[in-house]
Amino acid sequence: MIMKYNFDEVVDRKGTYSCKLDQMPEGAPSDALSVWVADMDFACAEPIIRALHERIDRKIFGYTIYDNEDLKHAVTGWFKRRYDWEVAKEDVFFSPGVVPALAFLLQALTNEGDGIIIQRPVYYPFTNKINGNNRKIFNSSLIYENGDYRMDYEDLEKKFADEAVKGMILCSPHNPVGRVWTVEELGRLVEIAKKYGKWIISDEIHMDLTRKGVVHTPLLKVAPEYADHIVVCTAPSKTFNLAGMQLSNIVIPNKEWQKKWLGVIDDAFSVSMANPFGIAATIAAYNEGEEWLDQLRDYLDENIRFVKEFVKEQLPKASVTAVEGTYLIWLDLNGYESDPKKLEKLMQETARIAFDEGYIFGEEGNGFERINAAMPKRNVEDCMNRIKKALDTLN
């Protein structure tokens, strides 16, 4: 029997030490509508909750092995069922998150001063981790044209050709612009990297959250012949709202890189062991969570459809990108206010909304707001009405 999930339910998160609610962006009022950090305001799938209760009932929560058959079977089984992607269990490695994984990989594969390509506007921890590890950013801005984004392959080739550049961090699907790169787009990117012998780390944390009918293709499936130069970072965290479990699954086919990875996370930092709840939740999510995910995607599609129609009808000087993947809406408000600080002030003080402001994703994001649409429909409606009322004060 298929369980019907209620995504309209407003879950009380007070008292849970929620980053999203209790750690607002600087300047945001404490009572602001929180649509900033990318976690969902939906209850987790029942099989996950049940698995966690069962694990708690075992009463002991000691050191727990990540490299176990049940977990690896669940992870690789998910890849095979959802993407027809064959991944060897021995190529899957633990990280406490995708962002930590990026830092670990920079430590393993590069030296201080080495160049890394990113594509702004892009998830801001890419910038933070490169700078924080004393590496150099080579930005190849996405081309924004007719309300959507594409890669600048001519510029990418120039960047890859630079001897200082060692590789690229790719966002796929792209956060915040919502693009799900096609096989052809990814294939062209790999061909350029291959031409210059450079690696690609592909952050695919939003891979499961495409619109119905839109297909995500893992980079390693696009270019298996170049597998020794590719790492794919995945996690159940965005898909199943499990970010606090701090468990990600990093696919590293290159055997020498596997040794370097373990040298960093185990020998250098001793963070190679997952917590028991993360393991229990991940196994349940990947083995029993597909019904919940399919219903979630339907609900997200409707939320995103509502926002697009609202913008079209109520905000004629604004636009929204295609949002092929993620649950994040990239709203272009440059037609109303292009100064990023003035826009931030308007949204925080007049609309009383806490956003991840567009400018934090790079100057290419000036005049944009990123809306987290993974919340009950009434909250999405409230968010859009607040935005409109605030923008109306500019007239």
Side-chain angles (χ1 to χ4, degrees):
M1 180 178 177
I2 296 176
M3 181 175 180
K4 177 64 176 175
Y5 288 97
N6 178 20
F7 296 102
D8 288 324
E9 177 189 5
V10 177
V11 179
D12 184 4
R13 301 181 69 178
K14 293 179 180 177
T16 64
Y17 312 109
S18 165
C19 176
K20 186 174 185 181
L21 298 179
D22 297 333
Q23 190 175 297
M24 292 285 194
E26 183 178 354
S30 60
D31 64 344
L33 179 65
S34 181
V35 296
W36 67 288
V37 69
D39 70 10
M40 297 189 271
D41 289 330
F42 303 130
C44 287
E46 183 58 34
I48 297 173
I49 295 171
R50 183 173 63 248
L52 290 172
H53 279 297
E54 291 173 355
R55 183 64 185 85
I56 287 171
D57 287 343
R58 300 301 296 269
K59 301 181 180 180
I60 295 176
F61 315 115
Y63 296 124
T64 307
I65 300 169
Y66 169 83
D67 192 12
N68 68 78
E69 184 66 22
D70 290 338
L71 179 63
K72 292 294 188 72
H73 179 79
V75 173
T76 58
W78 183 263
F79 294 156
K80 176 62 179 176
R81 289 195 311 279
R82 301 293 288 196
Y83 304 98
D84 193 28
W85 178 29
E86 297 277 1
V87 176
K89 295 174 184 176
E90 59 269 22
D91 292 345
V92 181
F93 292 83
F94 166 74
S95 173
V98 167
V99 173
L102 299 179
F104 298 148
L105 288 163
L106 290 175
Q107 289 285 330
L109 303 179
T110 65
N111 297 309
E112 289 193 8
D114 285 346
I116 314 296
I117 299 170
I118 59 174
Q119 296 171 298
R120 291 176 177 149
V122 75
Y123 184 49
Y124 52 91
F126 287 11
T127 294
N128 296 345
K129 294 309 121 185
I130 295 170
N131 287 337
N133 283 280
N134 297 315
R135 274 62 174 171
K136 184 178 179 182
I137 291 171
F138 282 68
N139 178 42
S140 178
S141 299
L142 296 176
I143 296 172
Y144 184 48
E145 196 172 62
N146 299 320
D148 216 343
Y149 289 85
R150 57 186 172 87
M151 296 190 195
D152 187 338
Y153 292 104
E154 182 177 344
D155 185 65
L156 280 168
E157 177 137 15
K158 291 178 182 177
K159 297 292 194 302
F160 272 117
D162 194 306
E163 290 186 1
V165 168
K166 303 306 176 183
M168 173 182 180
I169 302 177
L170 171 71
C171 203
S172 178
H174 193 283
N175 171 13
V177 310
R179 277 301 317 277
V180 174
W181 307 114
T182 65
V183 171
E184 291 73 23
E185 287 173 310
L186 293 171
R188 188 174 176 185
L189 173 65
V190 171
E191 285 305 311
I192 297 172
K194 188 186 301 184
K195 179 178 178 180
Y196 297 99
K198 307 297 174 70
W199 49 254
I200 302 175
I201 298 168
S202 186
D203 173 1
E204 304 191 17
I205 197 169
H206 290 276
M207 65 193 296
D208 300 315
L209 296 165
T210 59
R211 306 287 73 79
K212 289 296 183 72
V214 177
V215 177
H216 169 83
T217 306
L219 188 63
L220 276 166
K221 188 178 177 185
V222 171
E225 77 287 350
Y226 203 56
D228 274 355
H229 292 76
I230 294 172
V231 175
V232 172
C233 301
T234 76
S237 52
K238 299 299 185 225
T239 308
F240 293 102
N241 208 19
L242 296 173
M245 293 294 174
Q246 296 191 305
L247 187 149
S248 296
N249 304 295
I250 313 303
V251 183
I252 310 174
N254 185 309
K255 302 305 179 187
E256 288 303 312
W257 287 7
Q258 291 176 9
K259 295 176 184 177
K260 290 182 178 181
W261 168 269
L262 292 174
V264 172
I265 72 159
D266 195 0
D267 297 341
F269 295 111
S270 294
V271 289
S272 60
M273 196 168 292
N275 78 71
F277 303 110
I279 290 174
T282 299
I283 293 170
Y286 285 149
N287 287 345
E288 304 176 73
E290 288 184 80
E291 286 182 4
W292 182 90
L293 176 59
D294 290 341
Q295 292 178 42
L296 168 72
R297 292 173 70 206
D298 285 337
Y299 195 88
L300 291 174
D301 285 0
E302 176 58 25
N303 277 358
I304 292 167
R305 183 201 63 78
F306 168 81
V307 172
K308 287 183 174 181
E309 290 188 1
F310 187 100
V311 170
K312 183 178 180 181
E313 295 171 3
Q314 303 291 330
L315 302 175
K317 293 190 287 185
S319 63
V320 173
T321 55
V323 201
E324 297 164 335
T326 81
Y327 47 70
L328 305 166
I329 298 172
W330 192 232
L331 177 63
D332 185 351
L333 294 176
N334 278 284
Y336 292 93
E337 179 54 78
S338 58
D339 184 308
K341 288 299 183 179
K342 288 181 180 178
L343 183 61
E344 179 178 38
K345 181 179 176 68
L346 180 72
M347 291 296 123
Q348 290 185 343
E349 297 183 6
T350 305
R352 302 190 79 77
I353 302 173
F355 285 116
D356 263 344
E357 297 289 332
Y359 69 82
I360 70 174
F361 300 91
E363 65 180 17
E364 296 86 347
N366 288 352
F368 286 79
E369 298 288 7
R370 192 188 77 168
I371 303 173
N372 179 349
M375 54 186 174
K377 176 74 173 297
R378 74 189 76 175
N379 290 350
V380 176
E381 293 173 349
D382 183 23
C383 177
M384 298 312 299
N385 285 322
R386 291 185 189 208
I387 291 172
K388 183 181 186 307
K389 288 178 180 178
L391 295 174
D392 285 346
T393 66
L394 299 176
N395 296 332

